[in-house]
């Protein structure tokens, strides 16, 4: 069930971002639907982990699918926002590069029986565990991304409402914070991976 939720999340993200392109033409209300779908995409991010723990479905496959789902979803949003001219190209470039580096190193750890998170996490140091694998860190990072995605879409909806510009600027700030958080959470993975390269 948890893996189905993860895969459904990816599917919904593609639909949500596809609607943004369609909505730029004759059907601007599609952006409203994209916003609603994005709420579900973000909600499913936490739901899959909750279901896995609740029904004892945690597995290496689940951990890999969870990270894969996170990567696909966040990259879809950053790339589409960039393609629409809503964000600078440096945002997806940084996030994509960091993802490729950390996921490559995590694959080495997986070979040795370690997972990115959970009881068999590859993170050994207390600080590294806190920055990368703690629930606080993961939740805060997910919250920054969710706020960025939702507020940026809301800031570009073709419907005038009070403080629309403030909403958009807040979304941009959340995107910058999310990118900084993304890089900071990648650094311990690089340092902790040294032992797998020996």
């Amino acid at each position: 069930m948890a893996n189905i939720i993860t895969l459904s999340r990816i599917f919904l993200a593609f639909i949500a971002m596809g609607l943004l392109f369609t909505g730029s033409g004759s059907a601007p209300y599609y952006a409203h639907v994209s916003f609603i779908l994005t709420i579900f995409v973000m909600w499913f991010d936490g739901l899959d982990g909750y279901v896995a723990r609740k029904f004892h479905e945690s597995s290496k496959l689940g951990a890999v699918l969870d990270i894969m789902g996170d990567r696909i979803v966040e990259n879809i949003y950053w790339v589409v926002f960039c393609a629409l001219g809503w964000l600078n190209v440096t945002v997806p470039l940084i996030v994509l590069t960091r993802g490729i580096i950390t996921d490559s190193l995590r694959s080495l750890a997986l070979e040795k029986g370690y997972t990115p998170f959970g009881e068999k996490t590859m993170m050994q140091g207390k600080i590294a565990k806190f920055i990368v694998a703690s629930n606080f860190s993961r939740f805060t990072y997910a919250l920054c991304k969710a706020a960025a995605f939702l507020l940026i879409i809301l800031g570009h909806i073709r419907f005038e409402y009070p403080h629309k510009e403030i909403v958009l600027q807040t979304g941009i700030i959340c995107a910058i914070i999310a990118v900084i958080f993304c890089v900071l959470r990648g650094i311990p993975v690089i340092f902790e991976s040294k032992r797998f390269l020996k």
Side-chain angles (χ1 to χ4, degrees):
M1 181 63 76
N3 293 344
I4 291 170
I5 292 169
T6 300
L7 296 173
S8 300
R9 187 173 166 244
I10 296 168
F11 182 68
L12 286 177
F14 272 110
I15 293 172
M17 292 299 93
L19 288 171
L20 288 182
F21 280 104
T22 307
S24 62
S26 58
Y29 63 88
Y30 280 8
H32 297 74
V33 179
S34 176
F35 176 79
I36 293 166
L37 287 177
T38 299
I39 292 172
F40 283 99
V41 170
M42 296 300 108
W43 178 49
F44 282 9
D45 184 22
L47 184 63
D48 58 1
Y50 171 78
V51 169
R53 289 186 299 274
K54 178 84 173 171
F55 297 101
H56 308 288
E57 296 179 354
S58 298
S59 65
K60 285 183 186 176
L61 174 63
V64 170
L65 285 177
D66 184 48
I67 289 178
M68 180 190 76
D70 287 346
R71 289 290 174 272
I72 293 171
V73 167
E74 69 181 332
N75 289 334
I76 289 169
Y77 278 81
W78 296 133
V79 169
V80 168
F81 287 173
C82 176
L84 290 170
W86 296 356
L87 283 176
N88 189 284
V89 70
T90 55
V91 171
L93 288 178
I94 291 170
V95 174
L96 283 164
T97 302
R98 179 268 191 189
I100 291 166
I101 292 168
T102 56
D103 292 347
S104 299
L105 295 171
R106 282 173 171 158
S107 67
L108 291 173
L110 195 62
E111 235 177 49
K112 307 284 186 184
Y114 294 96
T115 55
F117 311 112
E119 292 177 10
K120 290 190 163 188
T121 180
M122 64 182 280
M123 296 292 109
Q124 298 295 305
K126 288 183 179 178
I127 295 173
K129 278 184 183 177
F130 177 76
I131 294 172
V132 178
S134 71
N135 287 334
F136 171 79
S137 174
R138 295 174 70 196
F139 176 77
T140 306
Y141 180 45
L143 188 65
C144 287
K145 287 188 294 185
F149 298 157
L150 290 167
L151 293 175
I152 289 172
I153 293 171
L154 198 57
H156 285 93
I157 282 178
R158 289 190 191 175
F159 175 73
E160 290 306 317
Y161 56 87
H163 312 297
K164 185 176 181 180
E165 189 59 35
I166 293 172
V167 168
L168 179 57
Q169 291 307 314
T170 305
I172 300 293
I173 291 166
C174 288
I176 293 166
I177 294 169
V179 171
I180 292 168
F181 218 105
C182 174
V183 172
L184 290 177
R185 292 184 76 237
I187 292 169
V189 175
I190 295 168
F191 283 104
E192 292 272 346
S193 297
K194 283 192 270 188
R195 69 185 189 277
F196 301 119
L197 296 169
K198 291 178 182 176

